[in-house]
Amino acid sequence: MSEILRLIASRYLSSKPCVVIRYGDTSGRVIARPEQGTSEYNYLRSFLGSAVTPENIDYLACLIEKSVQHSDVIGLRSDLFGPNITSDIIDASDDEILARLAAVYPIRDFEVSRLGPDDAHRLAQTRAAMEKLEIPASSLLSDAWVHVSLAETGFLTTLMREAPRFSIITSTDRRAVIQKLVQAFPGKLRYFECPSYPWIERTWGADHSFIWSRWTNLVYFIEPSYPGEPLFISSGIWTKALAPAWASRGGIAIDTGSIMDYFDDVASRPAVLATRYGNPGLVPEILSLDRQLATPLSLQDFLK
């Protein structure tokens, strides 16, 4: 982790772009480009909107595949590290898929007893997608919890504190976090609102084709206000497209994922909380926004 911290801090202090990104099971399912009408396709509709098309999914898959080539820090599911996946796992029946997958890969204990067949097939697709990623030799590899590790050190809010301006992409579900950061750092935060999950958008009639346009507008138009401006992104699968877009225009993009939930005291990603902290229903105090804002550090501390 110290090498990752030094990299991001040095890139910021030298006004150079940087991308920190994580790839999980939804990435694998997008890259698999499932056929319309399948359970895999319907799973993606729950993340991308009911009006998503196969052409949309292919477009996003291409962006995800290309994003790896432009990432400086890459987080992958460590419980899927191991030998290349074989066809007998990929093609296993619903009754056999979980047992075959768990026999080869150290799936998190919290998840093994809770995974259904579709979940297991999704993890298998993720493992297959990991094998196709063209990871640059210069990229630093970490696990998919690198965002949590960054928060535990106090690095994220230290970067916010030292930057003259910083940006955040997240949905209105985390407006309370945005408001608190505006109060903590007056005049410094630029907020780019992204869509919520489609099932949330549906509650006010917003799960329609315009969701896709809202996402692609962000990809096309987000731009740093100065070289090296930090962007903290919590936008699900679209983070993988947005982070490289921001960095290509000169900024630093950090995939913060569920950290925005934890800043709001929402215990999302229970497998992470259970495995790392022992309680799937409780956000640890170290990840609370109040604790983060009270961290008395400077970026120079992370260069040591």
Side-chain angles (χ1 to χ4, degrees), residues 232-302:
F232 305 91
I233 316 176
S234 179
S235 61
I237 188 62
W238 279 95
T239 298
K240 289 62 177 166
L242 293 167
W246 181 266
S248 72
R249 295 157 195 157
I252 290 175
I254 301 177
D255 180 350
T256 50
S258 58
I259 290 300
M260 289 298 167
D261 298 341
Y262 302 151
F263 282 178
D264 207 17
D265 197 33
V266 175
S268 64
R269 306 299 183 190
V272 176
L273 297 175
T275 305
R276 196 160 180 131
Y277 304 106
N279 189 334
L282 180 68
V283 177
E285 196 267 340
I286 193 174
L287 297 181
S288 72
L289 187 52
D290 287 339
R291 169 72 175 272
Q292 294 283 313
L293 292 173
T295 303
L297 296 171
S298 72
L299 288 180
Q300 291 297 329
D301 294 317
F302 297 100

Side-chain angles (χ1 to χ4, degrees), residues 83-93 96-105 120-121 123-125 127:
N84 286 353
I85 198 163
T86 55
S87 59
D88 67 303
I89 298 177
I90 292 288
D91 299 330
S93 66
E96 298 178 336
I97 178 67
L98 181 56
R100 292 195 177 186
L101 190 68
V104 178
Y105 304 105
H121 282 294
L123 290 183
Q125 289 178 334
R127 173 62 220 191

Side-chain angles (χ1 to χ4, degrees), residues 5 46 50 67 79 89 95 112 146 177 217 237 253 257 264 276:
L5 292 167
S46 69
S50 60
S67 71
D79 59 340
I89 298 177
D95 293 335
V112 167
V146 62
V177 175
N217 277 340
I237 188 62
D264 207 17
R276 196 160 180 131

Side-chain angles (χ1 to χ4, degrees), residues 168-180:
I168 290 178
I169 298 178
T170 191
S171 71
T172 55
D173 300 334
R174 298 294 162 253
R175 184 60 65 87
V177 175
I178 298 299
Q179 291 173 338
K180 198 162 189 175

